[in-house]
């Protein structure tokens, strides 16, 4: 089947992903994915931080099936029970007072930009610029590309949406210098995922909060990758103890069903009045049933606590491995179960490929970092298995 799919993909699908990894999964259970040829893979990437519950989680699948039997979509013209309940759940567990649902991370970030802009517009204050960071990743729509501090994503699409500038991460002076009386918001990822798992310093984030308060600027955290338990906290900002005016979520929120969320304080959210923003699919009964099931299961199975414990265990094991292979592993960076294993650049691609060929799914990001973002159901045996595999690979390379 794989060859047939590759041929169809080459012929009919836009070539945005080039040559993908040569595998086509047809089944999955827990940490495992099964390819069409029967080969088993261990999923340490979780669909890029999406499959928080792993694959085929019985209670999650049950909740989805139950919802499918009832209703999938109605529209934002009508009240939606699951949407209201999911919003309540997010509000009750965070600093947000109000929520809006979109369909993806990029779209949630678009909603955050619009909210930041309209907040000042409605006050009659001319603030419409947003400062983001170099090496950030905020999505693939035009505005989120303008916010993404990576030239490779921006270059073909110039002129970009105006009003976005980037500064060096973890450099408070650079941020302070970039702020003007036109600055509406500062938006950061607390841990930059896509560019190789780079956490922001606690002091830097605290200072940004203070700067925003002093200058009347909104602080936005893009928690699309770091949210929903990934770091051992429901949201990474709870780990930092720094509270934003707006934050976004997506990836793991639907456990694989597309959904994004814009979450904000009551004061900021009140800028959105009827007609100011909208969506056809966002927060529909099916997607919000998925979100509710994900949050309920995380809670009932103590999976956020598990992410915390397993993240610590994983890091300890990796640090030991680093001291053994100090010529090959250059740095371990992590927060909970978002882990970056930085390798000597010349071996990174080969290590990644060998892991893949041996049935261990990870991603290579920032050119030299193996990113691990496994399902939050991961256990010690799964971690030991990965670490011993990586040990073997590093010995051979
Ligand atoms: C993945 C990601 C996005 C984009 O999400 P999509 O659902 O692909 O639009 C935005 N921000 C961060 C931090 C991400 O990791």
């Amino acid at each position: 089947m794989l060859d047939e799919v590759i041929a169809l993909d080459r012929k009919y699908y836009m070539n945005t992903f080039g040559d993908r990894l040569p595998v086509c999964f047809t089944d999955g259970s827990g940490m495992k994915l099964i390819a069409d040829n029967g080969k088993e893979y261990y999923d340490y990437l979780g669909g890029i931080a999406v499959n928080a519950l792993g694959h085929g989680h019985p209670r999650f699948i049950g909740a989805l099936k139950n919802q499918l039997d009832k209703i999938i979509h109605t529209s934002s013209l009508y009240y939606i029970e699951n949407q209201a309940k999911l919003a309540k759940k997010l509000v009750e567990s965070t600093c947000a007072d109000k929520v809006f649902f979109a369909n993806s991370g990029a779209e949630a970030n678009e909603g955050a930009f619009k909210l930041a802009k309209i907040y000042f517009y409605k006050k009659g204050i001319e603030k419409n610029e947003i400062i983001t960071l170099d090496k950030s990743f905020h999505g693939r729509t035009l505005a989120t590309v303008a916010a993404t501090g990576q030239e490779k994503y921006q270059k073909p699409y110039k002129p970009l949406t105006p009003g976005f500038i980037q500064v060096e991460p973890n450099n408070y002076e650079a941020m302070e210098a970039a702020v003007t009386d036109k600055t509406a918001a500062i938006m950061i990822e607390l841990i930059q995922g896509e560019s190789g798992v780079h956490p922001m310093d606690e002091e830097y984030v605290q200072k940004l909060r203070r700067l925003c308060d002093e200058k009347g600027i909104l602080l936005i955290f893009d928690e699309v990758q770091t949210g929903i338990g990934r770091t051992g906290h429901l949201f990474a900002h709870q780990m930092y103890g720094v509270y934003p005016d707006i934050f976004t979520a997506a990836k793991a929120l639907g456990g694989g069903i597309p959904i994004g969320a814009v979450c904000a304080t009551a004061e900021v959210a009140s800028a959105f009045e009827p007609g100011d923003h909208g969506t056809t699919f966002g927060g529909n009964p099916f997607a919000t049933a998925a979100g509710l099931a994900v949050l309920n299961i995380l809670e009932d199975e103590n999976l956020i606590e598990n992410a915390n414990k397993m993240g610590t265990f994983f890091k300890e094991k990796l640090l030991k491995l680093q001291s053994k292979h100090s010529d090959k592993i250059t740095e371990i960076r992590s927060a909970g179960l978002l882990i970056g294993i930085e390798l000597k650049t010349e071996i990174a691609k080969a290590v990644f490929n060998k892991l893949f060929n041996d049935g261990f799914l990870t991603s290579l990001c920032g050119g030299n970092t193996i990113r691990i973002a496994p399902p939050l159901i991961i256990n010690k045996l799964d971690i030991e298995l990965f670490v011993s595999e990586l040990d073997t690979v590093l010995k051979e390379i």
Side-chain angles (χ1 to χ4, degrees):
M1 181 181 91
L2 177 64
D3 291 340
E4 190 191 334
V5 175
I6 292 175
L8 289 173
D9 182 90
R10 292 218 170 114
K11 185 148 188 221
Y12 296 110
Y13 200 81
M14 293 193 196
N15 194 26
T16 51
F17 303 109
D19 283 338
R20 310 185 201 211
L21 291 161
V23 66
C24 181
F25 296 114
T26 52
D27 218 333
S29 165
M31 285 286 295
K32 280 188 192 169
L33 279 170
I34 298 155
D36 67 314
N37 62 3
K39 181 171 170 180
E40 282 189 358
Y41 290 73
Y42 278 92
D43 188 2
Y44 292 91
L45 185 61
I48 317 186
V50 167
N51 301 104
L53 304 175
H55 301 280
H57 189 291
R59 191 174 148 199
F60 181 54
I61 302 301
L64 297 183
K65 283 184 177 164
N66 186 35
Q67 186 59 44
L68 280 176
D69 283 339
K70 288 189 197 162
I71 204 159
I72 297 172
H73 177 84
T74 53
S75 96
S76 307
L77 297 172
Y78 315 112
Y79 290 100
I80 297 171
E81 184 187 5
N82 296 336
Q83 184 182 94
K85 287 185 171 167
L86 181 58
K88 173 173 188 268
K89 198 143 182 72
L90 283 169
V91 164
E92 285 179 351
S93 4
T94 67
C95 58
D97 302 304
K98 299 272 185 176
V99 177
F100 176 87
F101 293 115
N103 305 290
S104 66
E107 210 189 315
N109 287 339
E110 290 270 348
F113 301 151
K114 285 178 77 178
L115 182 56
K117 290 179 96 164
I118 202 169
Y119 173 74
F120 290 107
Y121 174 83
K122 294 241 164 122
K123 283 182 182 287
I125 300 172
E126 206 192 309
K127 281 181 187 269
N128 44 40
E129 291 180 359
I130 295 171
I131 306 177
T132 62
L133 300 179
D134 293 337
K135 292 195 190 148
S136 56
F137 184 82
H138 298 297
R140 302 296 207 128
T141 61
L142 279 170
T144 55
V145 160
T148 290
Q150 299 190 55
E151 180 68 8
K152 66 176 177 191
Y153 294 130
Q154 295 187 336
K155 205 172 174 191
Y157 301 111
K158 291 184 177 177
L160 300 172
T161 307
F164 290 92
I165 60 163
Q166 279 90 47
V167 299
E168 196 188 348
N170 270 330
N171 180 341
Y172 179 74
E173 285 69 35
M175 181 64 80
E176 205 178 18
V179 166
T180 69
D181 54 7
K182 293 277 182 295
T183 307
I186 292 171
M187 178 161 95
I188 66 166
E189 295 157 89
L190 289 164
I191 298 140
Q192 295 186 324
E194 214 59 34
S195 64
V197 189
H198 295 281
M200 294 303 117
D201 300 334
E202 218 167 282
E203 198 194 334
Y204 173 69
V205 179
Q206 288 164 352
K207 279 184 165 174
L208 291 188
R209 177 70 274 178
R210 251 177 276 141
L211 179 68
C212 287
D213 289 342
E214 279 164 22
K215 307 264 182 182
I217 296 169
L218 300 179
L219 183 60
I220 309 175
F221 293 152
D222 175 347
E223 292 237 33
V224 168
Q225 188 156 164
T226 51
I228 320 299
R230 171 68 36 205
T231 65
H233 300 261
L234 184 58
F235 287 96
H237 67 259
Q238 296 167 330
M239 169 176 78
Y240 279 81
V242 177
Y243 298 92
D245 302 289
I246 306 173
F247 64 93
T248 55
K251 289 198 163 86
L253 179 56
I257 304 301
I259 182 168
V262 188
C263 308
T265 61
E267 137 89 351
V268 173
S270 68
F272 272 158
E273 292 172 289
D276 288 334
H277 192 46
T279 171
T280 297
F281 295 118
N284 82 12
F286 188 62
T288 45
L292 272 173
V294 167
L295 294 183
N296 286 330
I297 294 167
L298 287 181
E299 204 170 285
D300 294 348
E301 298 188 2
N302 296 316
L303 291 178
I304 299 182
E305 198 188 318
N306 190 59
N308 203 355
K309 282 192 193 145
M310 292 305 116
T312 306
F313 182 75
F314 215 145
K315 184 160 199 175
E316 279 167 11
K317 293 272 165 196
L318 287 171
L319 287 171
K320 268 192 205 139
L321 196 68
Q322 183 188 13
S323 50
K324 188 167 165 190
H325 297 280
S326 55
D327 53 331
K328 290 173 182 159
I329 299 180
T330 48
E331 193 173 41
I332 307 292
R333 295 182 292 269
S334 78
L337 288 172
L338 182 56
I339 302 171
I341 307 166
E342 192 187 281
L343 302 168
K344 282 264 163 64
T345 305
E346 53 282 16
I347 63 163
K349 182 88 185 150
V351 171
F352 168 76
N353 285 334
K354 183 85 178 71
L355 287 171
F356 174 75
N357 289 332
D358 291 349
F360 289 77
L361 303 175
T362 65
S363 83
L364 184 62
C365 48
N368 60 3
T369 300
I370 302 279
R371 176 178 41 175
I372 311 273
L376 309 187
I377 57 166
I378 196 169
N379 64 32
K380 286 189 176 177
L381 288 178
D382 301 320
I383 293 169
E384 279 161 352
L385 186 70
F386 179 86
V387 174
S388 109
E389 161 70 12
L390 183 59
D391 186 21
T392 311
V393 171
L394 290 174
K395 271 184 215 149
E396 287 170 10
I397 253 154

